[in-house]
Amino acid sequence: MSASPLMPVYSPSPADFTEGRGMEVFTRDGTRYLDFIAGIATNALGHCHPKLVAALTEQAGKIWHMSNMYQTGLQRELAQKYVDATFADVVFFANSGTEAIEACLKLTRKYHSANGNPHKIDILGFEGAFHGRSYGAINAAANPKYLEGFGPALPGYQQLPWGDHEALKAAITDTTAGIIIEPVQGEGGVRALPVECLHGLRALCDEAGILLIFDEVQSGASRTGKLFAHQWSGITPDVMAAAKGIGGGFPMGACLATEKAASGMKVGVHGSTFGGNPLAMAVGNAVFDEISTPEFLQHVNDMANHLGQALEGLKDRHPGVVIDVRGKGLLRGIGLNQDPLPLRKKCFDRGLLVGNAGGNVLRLAPPLIVDQEHISEAIGVIDAVLGEAAAQAHAA
Ligand SMILES: *Cc1c(COP(=O)(O)O)cnc(C)c1O
């Protein structure tokens, strides 16, 4: 018999976390940790934000679930907020990032078939991408590690080198339907796509008459100091997936699209039992109202500057361990010359929660309510851990 009744697809830390307040979380025995990963960029407003607790508990006493056969008004309200704040004309609500991606992929193929081009089915993605764990999502990202053992890869997906404009241009054919990309790659190594590349992508898609799909599941929800990361560039996608932070910790995803891109999405074409359910929508509305104000975005940008400078300082102090610092806003990575996992563990032992990402990267994605003192505390811990790693390398 195995030791745990859980399917062993994760390797979580041994202690149970039972409470969270703002930037801090506590295990059952009361041990405190400073949270610099926020459930992987998900608890945008930290833990148990009073406005989110109020929104959720108030809604819990009203109505929980109705199915999309009926309206509650809450979906329309939240969709209108995202429409007013972005390129999108319409929104479909899902429960997770991978479901939002699934909707984006289906919408893209449907757009072409509904417009007389059913042969346009190919979606071009990029090396290092992560779009979630559904069949569509693992095929769109085409990471061999996540496809292995799940039978033949689905037709209609191709993976290209990251940041190679010429290779991408050459890969676009008459059967191409769209391009999917994260404006800031999360899992793949916290790599921010240069603004010029976003402009290049838009131009390529316009020329070829194909859809540009942004995966802002991790980079959205004000994480980079704009509501969505692509808004730094001035160009917009045709379709976009959002999730993680937009629910502030409550499961929720969204597929946002222009009216034109969504022209094939008619009654019965797509759906979800729980997508847009009243509990998620009540929290989603409360999250949006907090994270979208100019003052909040200013705070994120201020904190991003502090964090960015502090990370540059770490790089200067530990040249033997830190290769580079990357990312954007409050989604940051420290590129290391070694496996980040032992360092992540050492941070944990010193009371700091951080993540890791592909390519030997330590990932930082604190709740957006982080302040300067939290940043100093976290940097102090990472500084000490990097110092130990350097000393070990020296001794070896
Ligand atoms: C987390 C993530 C997803 C998948 O979201 P789930 O809610 O885990 O399904 C998709 N894309 C990106 C960029 C992500 O970071």
Side-chain angles (χ1 to χ4, degrees):
M1 217 175 77
S2 66
S4 166
L6 293 171
M7 205 175 280
V9 293
Y10 306 113
S11 59
S13 64
D16 286 340
F17 281 87
T18 51
E19 260 176 73
R21 286 282 173 275
M23 291 290 301
E24 301 176 322
V25 287
F26 302 88
T27 52
R28 196 182 299 284
D29 68 2
T31 311
R32 170 213 183 252
Y33 293 82
L34 179 65
D35 189 358
F36 257 63
I37 190 63
I40 314 191
T42 295
N43 301 300
L45 294 171
H47 298 268
C48 294
H49 189 284
K51 289 195 178 155
L52 303 198
V53 172
L56 181 61
T57 51
E58 197 189 306
Q59 187 60 39
K62 287 183 179 168
I63 196 163
W64 286 28
H65 177 74
M66 275 304 289
S67 140
N68 287 303
M69 285 191 291
Y70 309 98
Q71 305 197 57
T72 61
L74 293 162
Q75 279 193 33
R76 263 200 329 276
E77 193 187 326
L78 184 54
Q80 190 62 54
K81 289 175 186 173
Y82 277 103
V83 163
D84 291 344
T86 69
F87 72 97
D89 301 311
V90 287
V91 180
F92 172 84
F93 288 111
N95 310 290
S96 65
T98 201
E99 283 175 72
I101 290 291
E102 204 69 24
C104 292
L105 298 173
K106 287 177 73 178
L107 174 149
T108 298
R109 284 187 175 174
K110 199 70 172 179
Y111 164 77
H112 291 293
S113 76
N115 287 284
N117 293 306
H119 62 287
K120 290 192 181 292
I121 60 160
D122 297 330
I123 311 267
L124 306 178
F126 296 89
E127 163 232 313
F130 181 76
H131 301 304
R133 303 295 197 129
S134 67
Y135 270 112
I138 58 176
N139 279 276
N143 180 338
K145 200 170 83 187
Y146 297 145
L147 283 167
E148 160 66 30
F150 295 120
L154 297 178
Y157 294 96
Q158 194 185 337
Q159 194 194 29
L160 299 164
W162 197 81
D164 185 341
H165 192 77
E166 290 311 312
L168 173 59
K169 212 167 154 181
I172 297 174
T173 68
D174 185 46
T175 59
T176 305
I179 296 174
I180 184 166
I181 192 162
E182 297 153 86
V184 184
Q185 238 181 30
E187 275 328 292
V190 197
R191 295 189 286 185
L193 199 67
V195 164
E196 312 86 75
C197 291
L198 291 171
H199 284 261
L201 283 169
R202 183 67 268 172
L204 277 183
C205 287
D206 289 343
E207 261 166 54
I210 61 177
L211 300 189
L212 180 58
I213 311 164
F214 283 160
D215 179 347
E216 291 239 28
V217 168
Q218 191 159 155
S219 57
S222 302
R223 176 127 314 257
T224 69
K226 296 258 190 208
L227 188 58
F228 291 101
H230 75 266
Q231 292 175 327
W232 288 105
S233 73
I235 62 105
T236 57
D238 302 292
V239 199
M240 179 174 78
K244 291 200 165 104
I246 63 167
F250 198 91
M252 174 182 157
C255 167
L256 293 82
T258 63
E259 194 176 358
K260 184 179 173 211
S263 55
M265 302 304 273
K266 308 262 194 269
V267 172
V269 156
H270 192 55
S272 162
T273 295
F274 286 123
N277 96 77
L279 297 174
M281 293 299 100
V283 178
N285 270 291
V287 170
F288 181 93
D289 293 346
E290 286 297 306
I291 67 172
S292 61
T293 68
E295 300 74 39
F296 189 86
L297 291 166
Q298 187 59 52
H299 171 78
V300 174
N301 285 308
D302 290 344
M303 292 307 115
N305 284 339
H306 285 300
L307 182 59
Q309 277 168 22
L311 291 175
E312 288 296 338
L314 286 181
K315 189 179 113 190
D316 293 344
R317 281 200 294 288
H318 305 285
V321 186
V322 178
I323 293 171
D324 62 4
V325 291
R326 56 288 265 287
K328 202 169 171 73
L330 290 174
L331 180 54
R332 296 285 176 138
I334 305 174
L336 304 170
N337 68 354
Q338 56 192 276
D339 182 3
L341 283 177
L343 274 66
R344 197 185 96 178
K345 167 89 173 45
K346 282 187 172 170
C347 288
F348 184 89
D349 293 342
R350 290 168 180 260
L352 178 70
L353 305 185
V354 297
N356 57 286
N360 290 339
V361 171
L362 212 56
R363 179 167 27 169
L364 307 180
L368 308 179
I369 56 165
V370 67
D371 70 23
Q372 279 199 65
E373 275 174 44
H374 303 127
I375 291 173
S376 302
E377 184 185 338
I379 292 295
V381 171
I382 298 168
D383 199 5
V385 166
L386 290 174
E388 273 175 27
Q392 261 173 16
H394 196 71

